[in-house]
Amino acid sequence: MANLRSLATQVRRTSLLRVPARQTNEFSTSSRNHSYADTLPNLKIGAHTRVLFQGFTGRQATANVKESLAWGTKIVGGVKPGIEGEHLGLPVFPSVRTAQEKAKPDASAIYVPGDQTAKAIEEAIEAEIPLVVAVAEHVPIHDLLRVGDPPRRLDIVAAYITRRFILCFRHSPKQGIVAKSGTLSYETVASTTRAGLGQSLCISMGGDVLAGTNFVDALKIFESDPDTEGIILVGEIGGTAEIDAAEWIKVYNRRTANPKPIMALVGGLHAPPGRIMGHAGAWTALGEPDAKSKYQALERAGAVMVNHPEKFGEGMKTLLNNRSRIQPTQSSKAPNQKKGLHTMRRVSMNREQRTLPSKQTRSLFIKEFQAIDMLREKSISIHEANPSDSDIFLSLTIDRTSLSPCVIASTDTNFASAHTGRFPFAYSTTEISNKSSTIKSIASHLQLPETIHQKLAELVQALWEIFKEKEAYLLEIRAKLSTGGILQIQNARFGFDDAAFRSSGRQKEVHSLRNPAEEVREEVEAEKDGIVYVKLQGEGSIGTLVNGAGLAMNTVDALTIHGGHCANFLDTGGKATSETVKSSFRVITSDPRGIIMAFRDLEMSVPVVVRLRGTNEEQGQRMIAESGLPLHAFDSFEEAAKKVIGLAG
């Protein structure tokens, strides 16, 4: 059964909100005294789930509703503001409140333009819909910060922002899957299904910055779920959710006799530092652990690690067989989990020093003099000085754990944890003065004298105003405290959210500062077709062409681990058409017809290896075989990787 399958498969990233609500089948009851944790059961969608669509009559929603109905989803209607009627044989309600009163939905799927999503989410929260799923591909970050601001959460029935979608594949209930990547979720489902295993529930928290419902939330669900026999976690670069999950797993394995086996993967092991890799939140901020650190933490906690999702199926089957031979009174430690598992390949952990690139995609980083000008406009004095060991570093960004703005302060250029402090505060904050607890905490951490507190407050206040007014997501400065008690700003690096401009037309002045002529030509050209392309450094001999950011990251990782040298990261972004392939020399694995047409029309002279995986993979393999073209098609990633590395060599 796949009651919300189409909703999941057509959405790359979404937001979910869990709201304490009235008793509805298995959903939690409404009470302002309930905590956010009390809403965890709302995640357990099933045949009983009554689904409402917001933006019901739009093109995307209409297509999704049709497919959902074909799969047996219990859709109770949809909302079009101010309109009552009928669409696809289902009722149209003028508001979510009306729909809640008349149709009693358990979940709402939001299909509205990015600049209207926050308002639609708020309407669903106010109507106390227990579970809200919203397309979050182009939703401005600051819109979601406003919705999820802590004081507002208290006013809106303790609702909390989450950035995630749910897949509900229920074959024979076996595996609980939680992932940041949609494409890697599909790969994981395919792998476990091929191994004869089923899925109890597949939850993806999404690859976005704001991920209120996280890995630990999902792990708690899977721990207590009698249908879930094994747990699979798929992480990637960005944030600390994987580290939190590792701590939970460590405690779980210690306190539980014969714990459920846990396997994991972390995408982005070979992602260039600081780059945004397709997903809006797939980038490592200052002071955050990189993918290798996350991999090591999960492995130390007892999770069995793999380098590609196709290994999950047979690997989990082995672990489940081992677990069945363990008496319930025994405690299963991490080493026991790995016995007899020979399909896993350990990753070499050579930690690299973190450097900051000059460019990123899916965002705008302005030039240093432009950032300095913004500070001057806020009456901040700029005193140029050469870098020194006594410099301090301030970053105003988003704290992914508290889901709020955050000042990161450090005395170390690499923001090493021992020298770095994180100071989150509410988005509704209007003034950060020298009397505020935030400034006192920052000054104490940096060991600044009290005489400098006022200057520090003025600087942080200026950064905060720029952050809100211009919808930034990362503001970094390097400063020095002079002998005369003057805070000298040495350099600045400011990054802004492109979704505010692309979806809403806001911040035109900021985004007019961009000069594409100074950027990587291939990356700019790819962007025109809605494709995220990152040119990798070094003498890469293998081009990667992948539909999905998480899978694209993992493809680079896996090929590198096998000894390959990748020239690029590429996420097609769902624009899988033959014209896109031909115009940008990209092979799209999700549409075999696109591959064949592009190959013919472009008269490709380099060898092309295609790995197909999906609902139409048999048809795709047949089409490629019958085309007569020199394409090398594989079902197994291992075989495809060996072939392409051999051809490149």
Side-chain angles (χ1 to χ4, degrees), residues 15-19 36 117-119 121-123 125-126 139-163 210-213 398-405 424-429:
S15 292
L16 256 79
L17 295 92
R18 302 196 311 267
V19 184
Y36 186 61
T117 299
K119 182 179 180 181
I121 289 173
E122 289 182 308
E123 187 179 4
I125 293 173
E126 291 166 358
V139 180
I141 291 176
H142 282 249
D143 286 1
L144 293 171
L145 280 170
R146 282 188 285 270
V147 173
D149 195 46
R152 293 175 61 81
R153 289 204 302 272
L154 297 176
D155 296 336
I156 312 174
V157 202
Y160 209 85
I161 280 284
T162 69
R163 304 273 291 180
L210 299 173
T213 298
I398 298 169
D399 185 80
R400 305 193 197 203
T401 301
S402 64
L403 308 177
S404 65
F425 57 94
Y427 189 80
S428 58
T429 298

Side-chain angles (χ1 to χ4, degrees), residues 63-78:
N64 202 277
V65 168
K66 288 179 179 179
E67 187 176 354
S68 296
L69 289 171
W71 278 87
T73 305
K74 191 178 293 183
I75 299 177
V76 297

Side-chain angles (χ1 to χ4, degrees), residues 88-122:
L88 301 177
L90 297 167
V92 177
F93 302 103
S95 68
V96 179
R97 176 66 69 184
T98 301
Q100 192 268 352
E101 294 170 352
K102 294 185 177 181
K104 302 294 188 287
D106 301 315
S108 179
I110 296 179
Y111 279 83
V112 301
D115 60 335
Q116 301 174 28
T117 299
K119 182 179 180 181
I121 289 173
E122 289 182 308

Side-chain angles (χ1 to χ4, degrees), residues 25 96 132 138 162 204 231 261 352 470 510 531 624 639 643:
N25 295 318
V96 179
V132 180
H138 300 293
T162 69
S204 180
I231 301 171
E352 301 171 357
K470 301 185 183 298
V510 172
I531 294 167
I624 288 175
E639 294 177 3
K643 182 66 175 180

Side-chain angles (χ1 to χ4, degrees), residues 406-456:
C406 174
V407 173
I408 304 176
S410 183
T411 55
D412 179 71
T413 185
N414 291 315
F415 281 68
S417 58
H419 304 280
T420 304
R422 304 179 70 88
F423 308 95
F425 57 94
Y427 189 80
S428 58
T429 298
T430 57
E431 183 180 4
I432 303 177
S433 69
N434 64 329
K435 303 292 185 182
S436 70
S437 59
T438 300
I439 294 299
K440 290 179 180 178
S441 298
I442 296 171
S444 175
H445 174 77
L446 296 175
Q447 298 183 342
L448 296 178
E450 190 171 352
T451 54
I452 206 71
H453 287 196
Q454 179 60 38
K455 289 296 182 182
L456 176 65

Side-chain angles (χ1 to χ4, degrees), residues 163-203:
R163 304 273 291 180
R164 154 183 80 168
F165 59 80
I166 281 188
L167 314 178
C168 186
F169 296 87
R170 300 175 71 94
H171 300 292
S172 58
K174 293 286 184 181
Q175 310 311 304
I177 300 169
V178 55
K180 277 186 173 180
S181 163
T183 47
L184 290 178
S185 296
Y186 309 151
E187 288 276 344
T188 302
V189 168
S191 176
T192 50
T193 300
R194 286 172 181 240
L197 304 175
Q199 302 81 36
S200 55
L201 186 65
C202 182
I203 303 173

